[in-house]
Amino acid sequence: PGSCPALCECSEADKSVRCVSRNLTELPPDLPPYARSLFITGTRLARLPAGAFPTQRLPHLSALDLSNNHLRVVEAGALAALPALRQLDLSGNPLASLSPRAFGEGGSPLEELALRGALRDHGVLLSLAAALQSGALRNLSSLELADNGLLLLPAGMFTALPALRQLDLSNNSLVGLRNVSFQGLGQLQSLNLSDNSLSMLRNSTLAQFRGLSALRRISLGRNSWVCDCAIEDLVAWLKESDQVEGKEALTCAYPDKMVGKALLKISVLDLNCSVPTDLPSQLQTSYVFLGIVLALIGAIFLLVLYLNRKGIKKWMHNIRDACRDHMEGYHYRYEINADPRLTNLSSNSDV
C-alpha cells in the first residue's frame, strides 16, 4: 500500500506523488493511499475514464494536478470517487469531451478549478456550463477560465455558484457580458476581465457590480474601449467606484480622435452626444407618457359628453327630426313619380 508507482516520485513525508514529464498513457494503478497531492503533468495521458480513481483508494487526496497532458476525454464519474478533493487543475489540455457528470451526481467537495487553455472546444464549454448550473460544483470558491479564446459565455453559467470568491476570465476574446449574470455570486471578491475585447459595459452589468457588496477587485485593463456616447455610463461608474483595479490606466481604443485618452478624463463635451445614449429606455418612457396623455384626453372627452348629455340628446333629436322630414319628402316625390295619374296632374299643374 505504501509503494511508489514506476515512473513516479513519492514523498510520504510530504504526502505527495509526482509523475512529471513521463511517458504515461494511463493513470498508475498503484498510487499510495497516503497521497494528499498528486501531480501528473507533461505526459501522454489522453483519457480519464469512469472509475479512474478507485473508490476509497485515495481517501485523503486534496490536490490533483493534471495540467499540460494530452487529455481529451473526461468521462462521467471520472472524478467522483475522491471525497477529499479540493483543488483540480486541468489547464493546458486539448479537451474535446467533458461530461457534465464527471464530478459525480451528488455534488463535489471541489473548491478550486483551473481550466486555463482547456476550453477551446465550444462543446466542452457548454458541458462545463451544464455541470456548473446543475449544482454539482456549488462549493467552488475559485474558477479559472483564462486563455480560452472565449467570445461569449453561456447564459446563466454562474448562477449556481454561491460560494465563488474568485473568477478569472482574462486573456479571452469576450466582446460583451449581456448573457452573463453575476447576481448569484454574493461572495465574489475578485473578477478578472483584463485582456479581452470589451468595448463597453451596459447599465445592467454595472448595476450587478454595484449590488455585489463583497466585490472589491475588478480588472478591466487591456480592453478595446470605444469612447462614444455609449460609454458614458461606464465612465460615470468608474469615477464613483473603488472596485476597479488600476482604473487610471484604462484608455480609449476608438475612435481615432480619442485613442489613448484616459477614461477617467472623458467629459460629456468630449463625446459630443446629440442623442440619448440609452435610446430604448428613452423611447419606452416616451410611450408611457404618450399613453398617459391619451388616457387623460379620453377621460376629459367622456366628462364633457356626460356634462352636456341633455344638449347632446336634444341635438340628436333635432337631427332625427330633420332626417325624418327629408325622408318624407323623398317618399312623397317617389309616390308621385310612381302613379301615372298623379304624374299627369303634376304636369298640368305646372303648366
Side-chain angles (χ1 to χ4, degrees), residues 19-21 38-45 64-71 88-94 114-116 118:
C19 312
V20 180
S21 299
L38 175 60
F39 301 86
I40 302 178
T41 65
T43 72
R44 298 178 62 82
L45 183 66
L64 176 59
D65 189 343
L66 295 173
S67 63
N68 299 308
N69 292 296
H70 289 76
L71 196 61
L88 175 62
D89 192 347
L90 293 172
S91 301
N93 286 291
L115 289 162
R116 177 181 287 270

Side-chain angles (χ1 to χ4, degrees), residues 16 47 59 68 73 83 85 91 103 107 134 145 157 170 197 214 226-227 231-232 235 249-250 286 288 298 301 309 311:
S16 65
R47 190 180 193 89
N68 299 308
V73 178
L85 188 63
S91 301
F103 305 94
S134 71
L145 303 177
M157 183 173 179
S170 64
S197 300
V226 177
C227 296
I231 207 169
E232 276 190 299
V235 171
L250 301 181
S286 300
V288 171
F301 179 71
R309 59 189 184 279

Side-chain angles (χ1 to χ4, degrees), residues 178-247:
R178 178 177 297 184
N179 293 334
V180 184
S181 174
F182 300 99
Q183 291 182 345
L185 307 180
Q187 303 298 319
L188 190 64
Q189 300 174 3
S190 173
L191 175 62
N192 193 346
L193 292 167
S194 60
D195 292 288
N196 277 285
S197 300
L198 298 173
S199 60
M200 60 168 291
L201 292 178
R202 297 180 179 274
N203 253 334
S204 56
T205 301
L206 299 177
Q208 291 185 58
F209 290 162
R210 293 188 185 97
L212 297 175
S213 58
L215 186 56
R216 288 291 176 266
R217 187 167 64 255
I218 304 176
S219 299
L220 295 173
R222 296 176 296 280
N223 278 283
S224 304
W225 303 113
V226 177
C227 296
D228 56 14
C229 295
I231 207 169
E232 276 190 299
D233 296 323
L234 174 59
V235 171
W237 173 71
L238 288 174
K239 291 179 179 179
E240 71 180 26
S241 174
D242 58 355
Q243 296 173 304
V244 182
E245 191 175 47
K247 60 183 180 181

